[in-house]
Protein backbone atom coordinates (compact mmCIF):
# COMPACT_ATOMS: atom_id res chain seq x y z
CA UNK A 1 0.00 0.00 0.00
CA UNK A 2 1.41 3.37 -1.02
CA UNK A 3 1.44 6.15 1.54
CA UNK A 4 -0.10 9.43 0.50
CA UNK A 5 1.99 12.56 0.94
CA UNK A 6 0.06 15.70 1.81
CA UNK A 7 1.26 18.77 -0.05
CA UNK A 8 1.53 21.58 2.49
CA UNK A 9 3.04 24.15 0.11
CA UNK A 10 2.81 24.04 -3.66
CA UNK A 11 5.04 25.78 -6.22
CA UNK A 12 3.01 29.02 -6.19
CA UNK A 13 2.84 29.13 -2.37
CA UNK A 14 6.60 28.50 -2.06
CA UNK A 15 7.31 31.30 -4.55
CA UNK A 16 5.08 33.62 -2.48
CA UNK A 17 6.82 32.63 0.79
CA UNK A 18 10.25 33.20 -0.77
CA UNK A 19 9.18 36.64 -1.99
CA UNK A 20 7.84 37.54 1.47
CA UNK A 21 11.05 36.39 3.19
CA UNK A 22 13.05 38.41 0.62
CA UNK A 23 11.12 41.55 1.62
CA UNK A 24 11.82 40.79 5.29
CA UNK A 25 15.53 40.43 4.48
CA UNK A 26 15.46 43.78 2.68
CA UNK A 27 13.58 45.52 5.53
CA UNK A 28 16.07 44.16 8.08
CA UNK A 29 19.05 45.20 5.95
CA UNK A 30 17.76 48.42 4.41
CA UNK A 31 21.00 50.28 5.26
CA UNK A 32 23.29 47.52 3.98
CA UNK A 33 24.89 47.37 0.55
CA UNK A 34 25.77 43.69 0.88
CA UNK A 35 24.31 40.71 2.75
CA UNK A 36 25.62 37.16 3.06
CA UNK A 37 23.00 34.43 2.64
CA UNK A 38 24.45 31.16 3.91
CA UNK A 39 22.43 28.10 2.90
CA UNK A 40 22.81 24.74 4.61
CA UNK A 41 23.51 22.04 2.00
CA UNK A 42 21.51 20.82 0.05
CA UNK A 43 18.02 22.29 0.19
CA UNK A 44 18.97 25.23 2.41
CA UNK A 45 21.48 26.29 -0.25
CA UNK A 46 18.87 25.90 -3.02
CA UNK A 47 16.54 28.11 -0.96
CA UNK A 48 19.39 30.61 -0.42
CA UNK A 49 19.87 30.85 -4.21
CA UNK A 50 16.16 31.57 -4.69
CA UNK A 51 16.25 34.20 -1.92
CA UNK A 52 19.29 35.85 -3.56
CA UNK A 53 17.37 36.23 -6.84
CA UNK A 54 14.37 37.79 -5.08
CA UNK A 55 16.38 40.12 -2.80
CA UNK A 56 18.40 41.42 -5.74
CA UNK A 57 15.19 41.87 -7.77
CA UNK A 58 13.48 44.06 -5.13
CA UNK A 59 16.45 45.92 -3.63
CA UNK A 60 19.87 47.44 -4.35
CA UNK A 61 21.46 44.96 -1.92
CA UNK A 62 24.16 42.70 -3.36
CA UNK A 63 23.84 39.16 -2.02
CA UNK A 64 26.91 37.01 -1.48
CA UNK A 65 26.00 33.30 -1.35
CA UNK A 66 27.71 30.91 1.02
CA UNK A 67 27.21 27.13 0.95
CA UNK A 68 27.33 25.54 4.41
CA UNK A 69 28.19 21.85 4.73
CA UNK A 70 27.08 20.28 8.01
CA UNK A 71 27.21 16.55 8.73
CA UNK A 72 23.56 16.27 9.82
CA UNK A 73 24.14 12.85 11.40
CA UNK A 74 27.17 14.13 13.34
CA UNK A 75 26.82 17.94 13.57
CA UNK A 76 29.73 18.32 16.00
CA UNK A 77 32.13 17.53 13.14
CA UNK A 78 33.83 20.58 11.58
CA UNK A 79 31.56 22.64 9.38
CA UNK A 80 32.74 23.71 5.94
CA UNK A 81 31.69 26.89 4.15
CA UNK A 82 32.29 28.07 0.60
CA UNK A 83 33.36 31.48 1.94
CA UNK A 84 36.37 32.15 4.16
CA UNK A 85 35.70 33.74 7.55
CA UNK A 86 37.19 37.06 6.45
CA UNK A 87 34.64 37.20 3.62
CA UNK A 88 31.66 37.30 6.01
CA UNK A 89 33.31 38.92 9.03
CA UNK A 90 31.50 42.09 10.19
CA UNK A 91 28.75 41.60 7.60
CA UNK A 92 25.04 41.00 7.92
CA UNK A 93 24.51 37.24 7.61
CA UNK A 94 21.39 35.14 7.13
CA UNK A 95 21.61 31.39 7.77
CA UNK A 96 19.01 29.47 5.73
CA UNK A 97 17.66 25.91 5.84
CA UNK A 98 14.58 24.38 4.27
CA UNK A 99 12.96 22.83 7.37
CA UNK A 100 13.53 23.54 11.06
CA UNK A 101 12.96 20.12 12.65
CA UNK A 102 14.67 19.72 16.04
CA UNK A 103 16.95 22.73 15.59
CA UNK A 104 20.13 20.61 15.69
CA UNK A 105 21.43 21.59 12.25
CA UNK A 106 20.52 25.25 12.66
CA UNK A 107 22.08 25.63 16.12
CA UNK A 108 25.38 24.07 15.02
CA UNK A 109 25.33 26.34 11.98
CA UNK A 110 24.72 29.35 14.24
CA UNK A 111 27.58 28.25 16.52
CA UNK A 112 29.95 28.08 13.54
CA UNK A 113 29.22 31.61 12.36
CA UNK A 114 29.54 33.05 15.87
CA UNK A 115 33.29 32.39 15.72
CA UNK A 116 33.72 35.77 14.00
CA UNK A 117 32.08 39.13 14.70
CA UNK A 118 29.03 39.80 12.55
CA UNK A 119 27.15 43.06 12.03
CA UNK A 120 23.84 41.19 12.22
CA UNK A 121 22.86 37.51 12.30
CA UNK A 122 19.42 36.18 11.36
CA UNK A 123 17.99 32.76 10.46
CA UNK A 124 15.34 31.75 7.90
CA UNK A 125 13.50 28.52 7.09
CA UNK A 126 10.73 27.66 4.68
CA UNK A 127 8.97 25.34 7.17
CA UNK A 128 9.18 25.57 10.99
CA UNK A 129 8.06 22.29 12.57
CA UNK A 130 7.82 23.53 16.18
CA UNK A 131 9.65 20.45 17.58
CA UNK A 132 12.82 22.11 18.76
CA UNK A 133 15.15 20.49 21.25
CA UNK A 134 17.51 23.50 21.16
CA UNK A 135 16.80 27.16 21.92
CA UNK A 136 16.99 28.27 18.31
CA UNK A 137 14.37 30.08 16.29
CA UNK A 138 13.83 31.16 12.73
CA UNK A 139 13.67 34.94 12.42
CA UNK A 140 11.97 34.55 9.04
CA UNK A 141 9.78 31.56 8.16
CA UNK A 142 7.49 30.64 5.33
CA UNK A 143 5.09 28.57 7.42
CA UNK A 144 4.84 27.24 10.98
CA UNK A 145 3.47 23.75 11.21
CA UNK A 146 2.55 21.74 14.27
CA UNK A 147 3.11 18.11 13.34
CA UNK A 148 3.49 14.92 15.30
CA UNK A 149 7.03 13.68 15.88
CA UNK A 150 6.49 10.64 13.65
CA UNK A 151 5.51 12.83 10.69
CA UNK A 152 8.20 14.12 8.38
CA UNK A 153 8.25 17.33 6.36
CA UNK A 154 10.24 17.37 3.14
CA UNK A 155 10.88 20.23 0.77
CA UNK A 156 11.42 19.18 -2.83
CA UNK A 157 12.95 21.67 -5.24
CA UNK A 158 12.29 20.42 -8.78
CA UNK A 159 12.09 22.44 -11.95
CA UNK A 160 8.50 23.72 -12.18
CA UNK A 161 7.38 21.51 -9.30
CA UNK A 162 8.71 22.92 -6.00
CA UNK A 163 6.69 21.61 -3.07
CA UNK A 164 6.71 20.89 0.64
CA UNK A 165 5.08 17.62 1.70
CA UNK A 166 4.03 16.01 4.95
CA UNK A 167 4.92 12.31 4.97
Amino acid sequence: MQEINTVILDKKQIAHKIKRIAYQIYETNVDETEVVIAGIQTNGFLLAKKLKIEVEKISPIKVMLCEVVIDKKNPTRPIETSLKQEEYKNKSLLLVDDVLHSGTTLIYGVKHFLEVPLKQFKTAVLVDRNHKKYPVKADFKGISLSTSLNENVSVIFEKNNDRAVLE
Side-chain angles (χ1 to χ4, degrees), residues 11-74:
K11 177 187 167 207
K12 187 176 174 187
Q13 291 167 314
I14 287 175
H16 176 76
K17 302 290 185 196
I18 289 170
K19 194 170 286 184
R20 189 169 58 81
I21 292 170
Y23 274 101
Q24 291 175 304
I25 294 167
Y26 180 31
E27 289 165 7
T28 308
N29 293 283
V30 74
D31 296 326
E32 299 298 323
T33 55
E34 183 178 59
V35 171
V36 176
I37 299 182
I40 296 172
Q41 194 186 57
T42 299
N43 273 359
F45 188 62
L46 294 173
L47 179 58
K49 286 181 182 177
K50 292 173 183 286
L51 286 168
K52 171 185 166 65
I53 291 165
E54 287 300 319
V55 169
E56 290 182 340
K57 202 185 289 182
I58 61 166
S59 78
I61 296 171
K62 180 183 176 299
V63 175
M64 188 185 306
L65 278 178
C66 176
E67 188 168 17
V68 183
V69 181
I70 297 176
D71 182 342
K72 293 185 181 194
K73 292 194 181 2
N74 189 0

Side-chain angles (χ1 to χ4, degrees), residues 68-71 74-81 108 111-112 115:
V68 183
V69 181
I70 297 176
D71 182 342
N74 189 0
T76 58
R77 292 181 56 121
I79 292 171
E80 295 174 28
T81 58
Y108 280 97
K111 176 183 176 284
H112 173 81
E115 292 174 11

Side-chain angles (χ1 to χ4, degrees), residues 4 8 15 17-18 22-23 25 44 54 63 88 91 104 106 119 124 128 131 133 138-139 142-143 151:
I4 312 260
I8 49 177
K17 302 290 185 196
I18 289 170
Y23 274 101
I25 294 167
E54 287 300 319
V63 175
Y88 56 80
K91 295 211 167 101
T104 304
L106 206 57
K119 190 183 270 186
D128 184 349
H131 285 303
K133 66 179 185 182
D139 296 296
I143 187 173
E151 291 175 302

